[in-house]
Amino acid sequence: MCIAVFMWQAHPKYPFLLLHNRDEYYSRATEALAWWEGESVLGGKDGVGGGTWLGCTREGRIAFLTNFRELDTIRHAKTRGDLPLRFLQSNKSPQEFAEEIEEEAQQYNGFNLVLADMCSSTMVYVFNRLKQFHLSVAKVTPGIHVLTNAALDSPWPKAERLRHNFKEFIDEYGESDPPIKEMVEKLMTNTVKDEECMLPGIHSPEREYPLSSIFVEAQLPAGHYGTRSSSALFVKSNKEVTFYEKYLDQSQWKEKMVTYKISER
């Protein structure tokens, strides 16, 4: 299902800061953070669908995704992870890409998609479950935003916990560089769960309760499910990008960090 918190155009040194947890079945094949597609895309890779949940490029393009929690799903829907990848591989602006996928948006199960171009300082949020399943595209405003499995900034309790903790951490370090690994460890491993009365109520409490924490570990009917990776993607005003991923590899937690400079166009 995934959860993400990000700060856009609101920090004195970092125009973009992102923390992202990817939740998935443990049995689903996954490749860890790496350069792929001819070293044009940096991110983790879904070994089943071939797409990604979070990626970036040397040209300053960024895309990330969360699923939308809903009762009814499309049985043979297109893989949602293909959307970030297609944007990263394209030369289109975030707005142009959003318009391009409008006709096919309903062939996917519910998704939240954020697309950014650091060189033009543009970011849009794309949501395919707005009223009668129409596609919604909105410019992202400066500030802190949280994305769970509802629309952007929906006040789910775990989203509000993450927003509060993220702001507190950022405020503590002020204009200095926040420690990326410590930030991931403190904010994205939180296992506090909601009381039943606070759950969204889309599925049964028995299903939603184990998914109500920022860091998830659950035994669902289809198998062992939980947070497979915690990532941080920071972009500095000098165009230096740091991508850190802590990921689960055969019951062992490992980590990888990649840094690079956004190339001039």
Side-chain angles (χ1 to χ4, degrees), residues 196 199 203-211 218-221:
E196 184 173 329
L199 297 172
H203 295 290
S204 67
E206 292 75 22
R207 182 177 176 85
E208 292 193 337
Y209 177 74
L211 305 178
Q219 187 64 44
L220 300 183

Side-chain angles (χ1 to χ4, degrees), residues 110-129:
F111 66 77
N112 295 294
L113 176 65
V114 177
L115 309 170
D117 182 344
M118 297 306 304
C119 293
S120 63
S121 298
T122 56
M123 177 182 281
V124 300
Y125 163 63
V126 187
F127 176 49
N128 73 334
R129 286 299 186 262

Side-chain angles (χ1 to χ4, degrees), residues 170-235:
I170 291 294
D171 289 346
E172 179 184 346
Y173 282 86
E175 296 189 13
S176 59
D177 298 322
I180 191 166
K181 292 184 182 182
E182 182 183 340
M183 199 170 185
V184 168
E185 198 64 35
K186 280 194 171 183
L187 304 188
M188 305 310 286
T189 61
N190 189 308
T191 57
V192 172
K193 294 179 176 63
D194 301 337
E195 296 178 14
E196 184 173 329
C197 63
M198 301 164 68
L199 297 172
I202 299 164
H203 295 290
S204 67
E206 292 75 22
R207 182 177 176 85
E208 292 193 337
Y209 177 74
L211 305 178
S212 65
S213 53
I214 293 166
F215 184 93
V216 173
E217 187 171 9
Q219 187 64 44
L220 300 183
H224 199 184
Y225 179 92
T227 301
R228 296 278 303 274
S229 64
S230 296
S231 303
L233 181 59
F234 291 5
V235 182

